[in-house]
Amino acid sequence: MSRRFSRGRKPLATATKKRRAPGREKNISSALHASVLGLLAAQNTALNETEIARALGLSRHELVQLRAVLGQLLERRAIDKKGRRFALAAGQERLRGTLDLTAKGFGYAIPEGEQAKGGKDVYIAAHNLNGASQGDTILVAITGSGRSHREGRVIQILQRAVTQICGIFTASGAGGYVTPDDDRFPATLLIRRNDTLAAGDGMAVMAEIVDYGSERQGPCGRIVELLGDARTASVQIRMAVLQGGLRERFPAEVDAEAAGLQPVAACDEGRQDLRHLPHVTIDGETARDFDDAICVERSGDQFVLYVSIADVSHYVRTGSAIDREAYLRGTSVYLPDRVLPMLPERLSNDLCSLVPDQDRPAFTAILRFDATGRRIGERYTKSLIRSRQRFTYTTINRLLYLNEPQARAVHHELVPMLEQASTLTELLKKRRLARGSLEFNIPEPEVTLAGETVAAISLAERNRAHMLIEDCMLAANEAVAETLAKARHPVLYRIHEYPDPAKLEVFTDAAKALGFRLPQSEVNPAWFAQVIEQARNSSAEYIVNNLLLRTMQQARYSPENNGHFGLAAPYYLHFTSPIRRYPDLVAHRVLANLLSGHAPDHARPVSAKTADLGEAGIHLSQCERKAIDVERNAHARCSCLLLMDRVGEIFAAIISGVTAFGLYVTLDDSYISGMVPLTSMTDDYYLHDSRRYRLIGEASNRMYQLGDRVLVRLEQVDFSAKRLAFSLAPR
């Protein structure tokens, strides 16, 4: 019997024994296949039948089945036989990888070193997992190839990724069990009476896995931490953090090293004094770390843009305890009730934060533009700056774009500089759009908490002030990337490759189904820009932007400069946020190396133990993906908390996806997503038209199509899966 069983079922150790049904022999054999292959893969010498049975703990009556399995493996040439001994077949392709499980029980092995090179993942059926769990490092034998993926089986678990899981505790007479909070871990964890830590029934807990189980018995463990009430915001958000495996606390040596850092008191040799310039920072209302400041001067028909970035590299030396920890984290993670910073607060909120009226070391890009916004010169310098004002996007919008007299009067000394910045960034944006840079318009949901409850989820405000600062940062990132590329100094570029052709075909079908006339030109960034512009302010704008975003490849970090498709930029990297992104710190170090006149290999830009930029690019891209996944996970949990007491209510929504299983909908006010299962649409038998993204009633000819406005009733809030189920409501 497989150790994986459905959520909510009693743990295997407490289930009633039943005689094995004849129809289940195939499943048992499949599991035994994986066990035999895993055993033989781990051996240096061949084993006979008795040794295999003993190693796998098989009983005498299971020997017949073992012989059958060995015969099947021989027929498939997965193993070799010499005399009476068996060994893994010579020449069978094997690879190391990381297991990514799905909620449906099967998984994919992500090959080591191939992810950044476009290598295809390896499909692994549930019966070929050989006991492997989410995130495990595994050895996989390739068994064949399908249409889009290679296929394989786990022959050895090299390293367990998960030793602890969070979940909900259910008490029982023998102790209880923990139902994992992550549906990629469908096996419940048996907890014996002395290992419950006095957890209450229904409490959220963290449990340590003591035994991963076998074919006959499920896993067991012990509770190591009581997390609290699972229906409170702080507990749900922390469960997202724990599920994502993020680092919550800094090691003692990192805190000690940060505490010993001293602020820069004056300009040291080689640092340019720019304190006379009226630098300002522009961020959101809740921002605490200010890592970029700008200033714009105008001379005749030319502009000079100063983009001054916190000089994190001054404090964080390569290979130091802070640097090693920052590399492991890769990025800061922003959640509704907390921030998990890449750097200790001593740096992120103090020494490196460009707070007003304080001298701060910076790295400044001095960029010169002509009257059309074309960059005609660039220079870089280590500097000392003094921010004049901490502006918010709201204030800048009121001051520059709403022209509110009171706001302009309060900040009258800085208004001329800000107006020059606005003029320049309009020119920069115009040039960027002309070359085909994409301007997605996808609202970002923002969670508002009131103590332990989710008070609201609304759309984050985005105005022209956001675009002003973004265009300044884009200009600096492009300039630094081009400078380092032409100087041939290896660095981590931010690359964004051409969309996947299969996804592009899916998008074109969907866009035509929505009634859009697609450009008849070459598919390039300008082509996408035309589609976005055609959808602007239409009822389908959200759908089109979302579909386009899904069509795109994921941007990533790489030492190979392949350009940035979405920005239509031949050179691009991240330079402007070293407080919260490690690749930016790498760029600072490489640029400093160039300015000092040293050879490209003079100093390592990443932690001493990870000198290879290719490996660093893969790791830091994975850190970014993990952060995004946790942020989405936390949002899904908050969505469930917000709606858990609103079952039965009716909401206005848009159909954002159509599948053979039902309709995906997005609520108008909050942009919370859920599904209308086809099983709930009982008024007719609906046929799925995949090419036109619609469901059509066979008898009534009633049609539900991508982009349609509908009313939906909330039917279920599934906390375990973090999903919302709706039904269609009559208008």
Side-chain angles (χ1 to χ4, degrees):
M1 181 180 289
S2 171
R3 74 180 182 86
R4 300 188 172 277
F5 44 96
S6 63
R7 186 180 301 278
R9 181 175 168 180
K10 294 171 67 177
L12 191 57
T14 60
T16 304
K17 281 191 175 182
K18 294 183 179 179
R19 185 181 300 274
R20 183 178 297 157
R24 300 179 66 188
E25 292 297 333
K26 183 178 179 181
N27 292 335
I28 301 298
S29 297
S30 297
L32 190 54
H33 273 86
S35 297
V36 170
L37 287 168
L39 174 66
L40 295 178
Q43 305 301 313
N44 294 322
T45 59
L47 302 177
N48 62 32
E49 184 183 288
T50 302
E51 290 168 335
I52 294 173
R54 186 183 302 120
L56 296 179
L58 301 179
S59 61
R60 290 182 61 187
H61 76 270
E62 290 174 309
L63 289 177
V64 174
Q65 190 177 357
L66 174 61
R67 292 188 189 107
V69 167
L70 290 171
Q72 291 167 3
L73 292 174
L74 283 168
E75 286 179 13
R76 286 158 47 185
R77 298 181 181 178
I79 61 175
D80 293 330
K81 184 179 182 183
K82 294 182 180 179
R84 296 191 176 188
R85 292 184 171 273
F86 301 88
L88 204 65
Q92 186 175 40
E93 184 186 355
R94 308 181 205 176
L95 56 82
R96 285 172 57 105
T98 303
L99 179 62
D100 184 18
L101 273 183
T102 69
K104 295 181 179 179
F106 60 86
Y108 293 91
I110 303 171
E112 288 186 354
E114 292 188 25
Q115 190 178 40
K117 302 174 185 177
K120 294 292 185 181
D121 299 342
V122 180
Y123 169 78
I124 302 176
H127 61 264
N128 283 328
L129 288 170
N130 194 21
S133 296
Q134 172 64 22
D136 287 352
T137 302
I138 53 178
L139 184 64
V140 177
I142 304 300
T143 59
S145 295
R147 287 194 305 170
S148 58
H149 289 282
R150 290 172 289 178
E151 297 176 1
R153 68 170 66 86
V154 177
I155 55 177
Q156 190 176 358
I157 299 168
L158 302 174
Q159 183 178 349
R160 289 286 186 181
V162 177
T163 58
Q164 295 183 332
I165 59 170
C166 58
I168 307 301
F169 179 71
T170 300
S172 70
Y177 57 93
V178 173
T179 302
D181 186 58
D182 186 345
D183 57 10
R184 294 173 299 179
F185 294 90
T188 55
L189 191 67
L190 175 68
I191 307 294
R192 304 191 190 283
R193 184 179 291 112
N194 294 334
D195 294 327
T196 65
L197 214 63
D201 192 54
M203 181 179 287
V205 299
M206 172 64 77
E208 180 181 60
I209 303 173
V210 175
D211 185 342
Y212 287 87
S214 65
E215 259 88 37
R216 296 174 191 73
Q217 182 173 321
C220 64
R222 63 187 183 90
I223 294 176
V224 294
E225 185 180 354
L226 305 179
L227 302 180
D229 184 352
R231 298 208 165 192
T232 58
S234 63
V235 169
Q236 282 293 327
I237 293 169
R238 181 147 187 253
M239 290 173 83
V241 170
L242 294 170
Q243 182 179 318
L246 298 183
R247 302 168 74 86
E248 293 186 273
R249 299 178 181 83
F250 286 98
E253 64 172 338
V254 172
D255 286 332
E257 192 172 277
L261 296 173
Q262 298 300 316
V264 173
C267 272
D268 54 15
E269 187 176 348
R271 191 175 291 277
Q272 186 174 353
D273 191 345
L274 298 180
R275 287 176 290 183
H276 63 284
L277 293 175
H279 277 93
V280 299
T281 62
I282 306 174
D283 295 276
E285 272 77 3
T286 60
R288 296 174 61 193
D289 52 350
F290 313 117
D291 51 10
D292 55 77
I294 64 162
C295 174
V296 177
E297 293 180 328
R298 189 162 189 171
S299 176
D301 60 353
Q302 294 185 359
F303 298 87
V304 179
L305 168 64
Y306 297 84
V307 178
S308 293
I309 308 301
D311 189 5
V312 174
S313 62
H314 174 82
Y315 294 106
V316 182
R317 304 297 183 178
T318 305
S320 65
I322 296 175
D323 182 52
R324 294 194 303 271
E325 180 68 15
Y327 177 79
L328 289 175
R329 293 177 177 232
T331 181
S332 297
V333 184
Y334 297 88
L335 300 168
D337 68 339
R338 71 196 74 188
V339 176
L340 300 179
M342 185 182 79
L343 299 174
E345 285 197 11
R346 167 76 170 143
L347 285 165
S348 60
N349 294 347
D350 184 9
L351 296 179
C352 291
S353 189
L354 306 181
V355 294
D357 304 319
Q358 296 290 325
D359 292 349
R360 288 290 186 266
F363 209 148
T364 302
I366 305 171
L367 311 177
R368 188 174 297 276
F369 299 90
D370 66 16
T372 68
R374 180 174 63 91
R375 177 161 44 89
I376 56 176
E378 60 280 323
R379 183 169 70 85
Y380 312 96
T381 182
K382 290 291 187 88
S383 62
L384 192 70
I385 72 165
R386 190 178 182 90
S387 173
R388 295 287 196 277
Q389 183 68 43
R390 179 268 204 259
F391 280 116
T392 65
Y393 297 120
T394 301
T395 301
I396 292 294
N397 191 50
R398 290 170 50 208
L399 190 155
L400 287 181
Y401 304 114
L402 300 180
N403 284 308
E404 293 186 3
Q406 184 177 358
R408 294 176 69 87
V410 170
H411 302 291
H412 66 278
E413 292 183 354
L414 294 171
V415 167
M417 188 278 289
L418 291 169
E419 288 181 333
Q420 290 165 5
S422 179
T423 301
L424 172 61
T425 53
E426 287 294 330
L427 293 171
L428 296 178
K429 180 180 179 181
K430 183 178 179 180
R431 291 186 68 88
R432 184 164 53 78
L433 294 180
R435 75 189 187 201
S437 180
L438 306 184
E439 288 279 293
F440 287 109
N441 183 21
I442 299 179
E444 268 190 50
E446 189 173 59
V447 177
T448 302
L449 300 179
E452 287 292 352
T453 64
V454 178
I457 297 179
S458 55
L459 302 186
E461 181 185 358
R462 181 173 171 80
N463 54 48
R464 292 173 67 183
H466 290 79
M467 301 171 196
L468 181 151
I469 202 69
E470 285 174 9
D471 275 300
C472 291
M473 299 305 113
L474 289 173
N477 288 337
E478 288 185 40
V480 173
E482 183 174 0
T483 297
L484 294 177
K486 291 182 175 179
R488 298 187 178 181
H489 275 242
V491 72
L492 286 176
Y493 295 95
R494 179 68 167 178
I495 67 172
H496 186 221
E497 293 156 306
Y498 189 88
D500 182 282
K503 291 184 177 180
L504 183 58
E505 185 178 351
V506 170
F507 168 75
T508 55
D509 286 343
K512 289 175 182 176
L514 288 167
F516 285 90
R517 299 184 65 181
L518 301 180
Q520 297 301 307
S521 58
E522 176 192 359
V523 177
N524 55 24
W527 185 93
F528 282 90
Q530 290 179 59
V531 176
I532 292 173
E533 184 58 35
Q534 188 181 155
R536 195 175 306 281
N537 298 323
S538 73
S539 59
E541 181 178 15
Y542 169 76
I543 301 298
V544 170
N545 277 267
N546 250 306
L547 289 172
L548 271 176
L549 197 60
R550 293 177 202 165
T551 303
M552 297 291 170
Q553 302 262 29
Q554 288 185 316
R556 57 186 175 86
Y557 298 107
S558 171
E560 303 296 328
N561 178 33
N562 296 330
H564 197 291
F565 182 88
L567 292 171
Y571 306 98
Y572 194 71
L573 54 64
H574 279 161
F575 170 79
T576 55
S577 295
I579 288 179
R580 63 183 180 90
R581 290 187 308 227
Y582 196 89
D584 301 57
L585 179 55
V586 171
H588 279 227
R589 289 169 174 165
V590 175
L591 184 59
N593 195 37
L594 173 65
L595 296 182
S596 64
H598 293 127
D601 59 353
H602 173 74
R604 291 173 174 171
V606 295
S607 180
K609 291 184 179 179
T610 314
D612 182 76
L613 281 177
E615 292 179 14
I618 294 171
H619 165 73
L620 294 169
S621 297
Q622 290 171 341
C623 289
E624 180 187 43
R625 304 279 181 273
K626 183 186 291 186
I628 292 171
D629 287 345
V630 171
E631 288 168 1
R632 288 175 178 168
N633 190 338
H635 180 267
R637 292 168 185 273
C638 288
S639 298
C640 289
L641 288 171
L642 178 68
L643 298 179
M644 65 181 177
D645 295 323
R646 300 178 66 180
V647 172
E649 288 191 28
I650 293 177
F651 302 86
I654 188 171
I655 297 177
S656 52
V658 180
T659 72
F661 307 104
L663 306 171
Y664 285 99
V665 295
T666 301
L667 306 189
D668 286 354
D669 294 334
S670 61
Y671 280 68
I672 292 173
S673 296
M675 190 177 194
V676 177
L678 193 63
T679 54
S680 72
M681 300 170 64
T682 56
D683 62 318
D684 202 341
Y685 181 81
Y686 285 88
L687 303 173
H688 179 220
D689 182 352
S690 60
R691 297 288 292 184
R692 293 177 176 80
Y693 289 82
R694 61 187 181 182
L695 295 178
I696 305 172
E698 188 175 47
S700 64
N701 209 33
R702 185 178 292 110
M703 183 167 55
Y704 294 99
Q705 185 165 354
L706 184 71
D708 283 354
R709 316 297 307 190
V710 291
L711 293 178
V712 293
R713 178 184 290 107
L714 179 61
E715 299 291 349
Q716 183 188 24
V717 177
D718 184 348
F719 266 94
S720 60
K722 276 74 71 179
R723 295 192 187 101
L724 302 170
F726 295 90
S727 64
L728 294 170
R731 285 191 173 274

